[in-house]
Amino acid sequence: MAVRLMARTLRGLEDVAAREIEERGLGRVERLRHREVWYTAPRPDLGLRTVDDLFLLAGVVEGVGHTKADLALFGELVDETVLKELLEVRRASGGSAAVPGVDVAASFLGKRNYNRYDIEDVVGERVAGLLRLPYHSRRGGTAPPQGGLSLRVTVEGAQAVLALRLADRPLHRRTYKEASTPGTTHPPLAAAMARLAGIEPGMRVLDPCCGTGTIPIEARAIAPEARIVGTDHGADITAKAAANGAAAAGGEAGETAWAVADAGRLPLGPATVDRVVSNPPWGRQVEARARLAGGPGRFYGEIERVLTPQGTVVLLLHEPEEHIAHAEGAGLRLREAIPVSLFGTRPSIVLLSR
């Protein structure tokens, strides 16, 4: 029997996640909402790379208003949910049979006369009572115990949705992230960038600012037959990237190459790279170093030099207008810019070509 699922994404990646679902034959997409992709599938697949988390779509209620009286509708939503069947699907998908309790995360768009904690407590207390489990409220700022039964409530307009997380922890928390640094790329965002690059078997893919390796690792997961190279300015950084890469490959080094290199003077010949996918520094969480400290022009000049005539560049940029001017000055042209929301910031995924 098919199941209805809700994938949560970063804002701006809904279309990318929907394409991953359909292109990989994982299900039939029904609807896109704010940070959500609803779809039907024969079975859940926890191997989605471009989504933050995956939930069973438990129920929908219409007519949710802006007053505290409307909180009763969230309790009715729980009562109409077939929890027993959902829990069986969750266990069959790898969720723990024994859970320490129930927790709820809620969000809504616009202004209302109640807050997220009011919604969470109505739903959490009702579910916990039905299942005879402790309810762990987030109202006091305390994180719930790991491995609990996690529910998600989202309200958009007059429609509220209740969903049950499939796994014991969010999908964006990759197990390979054993080593990290400030400014590390969010894994589903890295996967989305790699998918947008259109990597094909045999292509050489470069991340010249690889940090601890998230983008090359996600690119390897999406395109295992590509030749992937990650470089950064320090041996300590590339050592962490190599460790994460080995963890992602189950202890095997794989075919990803890691090297110490200045992104403003790459040790690669002209027209030798098919795809460049990167989250360059520029002074936010990570300072530009070596030749990059001289400004973006050096970076784009090197990218243009090593890129093949049919090559594609995919970058995460926080000041896209300024960088696009530097890129065009180096001989690259803008193909597309996709704004995303990332932990309170609004960078763009920028696609360039020669």
Side-chain angles (χ1 to χ4, degrees):
M1 184 178 67
V3 292
R4 295 187 73 201
L5 299 159
M6 182 187 82
R8 288 278 292 176
T9 74
L10 291 179
R11 181 72 181 105
L13 296 186
E14 296 91 345
D15 286 333
V16 178
R19 288 200 297 271
E20 181 188 5
I21 291 165
E22 293 191 328
E23 288 172 2
R24 293 179 56 192
L26 301 181
R28 180 177 58 84
V29 172
E30 298 176 358
R31 185 179 178 187
L32 304 186
R33 292 206 325 168
H34 175 80
R35 296 193 60 194
E36 295 176 2
V37 180
W38 295 11
Y39 67 104
T40 303
R43 66 189 66 83
D45 189 316
L46 297 177
L48 279 169
R49 308 299 300 189
T50 62
V51 307
D52 275 19
D53 215 346
L54 188 60
F55 298 82
L56 289 164
L57 195 58
V60 180
V61 65
E62 305 287 349
V64 179
H66 294 71
T67 70
K68 286 196 173 182
D70 292 293
L71 289 170
L73 291 173
F74 295 99
E76 295 174 13
L77 178 57
V78 173
D79 293 340
E80 294 173 2
T81 299
V82 186
L83 285 172
K84 183 178 178 181
E85 292 182 6
L86 293 174
L87 292 174
E88 289 176 354
V89 175
R90 181 180 182 274
R91 283 193 288 269
S93 302
S96 298
V99 294
V102 174
D103 64 86
V104 184
S107 61
F108 55 81
L109 299 175
K111 294 182 178 181
R112 299 178 187 264
N113 292 333
Y114 47 84
N115 59 41
R116 56 168 287 195
Y117 303 112
D118 295 331
I119 300 173
E120 291 170 2
D121 289 348
V122 169
V123 172
E125 289 169 3
R126 189 73 62 93
V127 172
L130 291 171
L131 299 179
R132 297 182 181 180
L133 289 169
Y135 166 56
H136 300 283
S137 177
R138 298 172 183 267
R139 189 181 290 271
T142 303
Q146 292 187 2
L149 202 63
S150 295
L151 295 111
R152 181 90 204 185
V153 181
T154 60
V155 188
E156 188 171 320
Q159 185 183 67
V161 179
L162 175 65
L164 173 67
R165 176 184 289 148
L166 273 161
D168 290 337
R169 68 185 217 167
L171 294 190
H172 69 82
R173 295 182 184 171
R174 305 289 205 251
T175 56
Y176 67 75
K177 296 279 280 189
E178 297 178 356
S180 188
T181 57
T184 187
T185 309
H186 187 59
L189 177 57
M193 293 169 65
R195 285 192 65 83
L196 288 166
I199 303 168
E200 298 178 3
M203 283 185 171
R204 175 179 277 183
V205 182
L206 170 68
D207 181 356
C209 306
C210 72
T212 52
T214 307
I215 289 176
I217 291 168
E218 294 297 326
R220 167 67 61 208
I222 289 169
E225 296 180 1
R227 298 174 296 154
I228 298 174
V229 180
T231 67
D232 212 298
H233 69 277
D236 57 333
I237 300 296
T238 54
K240 291 178 180 179
N244 286 339
E252 299 295 329
E255 296 183 8
T256 303
W258 309 98
V260 177
D262 183 347
R265 190 175 183 178
L266 293 167
L268 297 166
T272 55
V273 174
D274 301 288
R275 300 288 186 266
V276 175
V277 187
S278 191
N279 176 10
W282 315 122
R284 283 189 169 258
Q285 289 181 287
V286 180
E287 291 293 333
R289 299 185 181 182
R291 288 177 179 262
L292 292 197
R298 296 175 183 271
F299 176 76
Y300 291 105
E302 277 296 272
I303 296 305
E304 194 277 337
R305 183 182 67 82
V306 302
L307 194 67
T308 60
Q310 293 77 37
T312 296
V313 181
V314 181
L315 303 175
L316 184 69
L317 299 175
H318 287 269
E319 292 86 17
E321 295 83 4
E322 175 188 350
H323 283 269
I324 289 168
H326 283 286
E328 291 176 343
L332 299 170
R333 66 178 178 87
L334 175 66
R335 283 173 40 191
E336 186 178 5
I338 304 170
V340 297
S341 292
L342 182 65
F343 311 127
T345 65
R346 292 284 293 173
S348 290
I349 302 173
V350 173
L351 281 70
L352 305 163
S353 59
R354 292 185 64 166

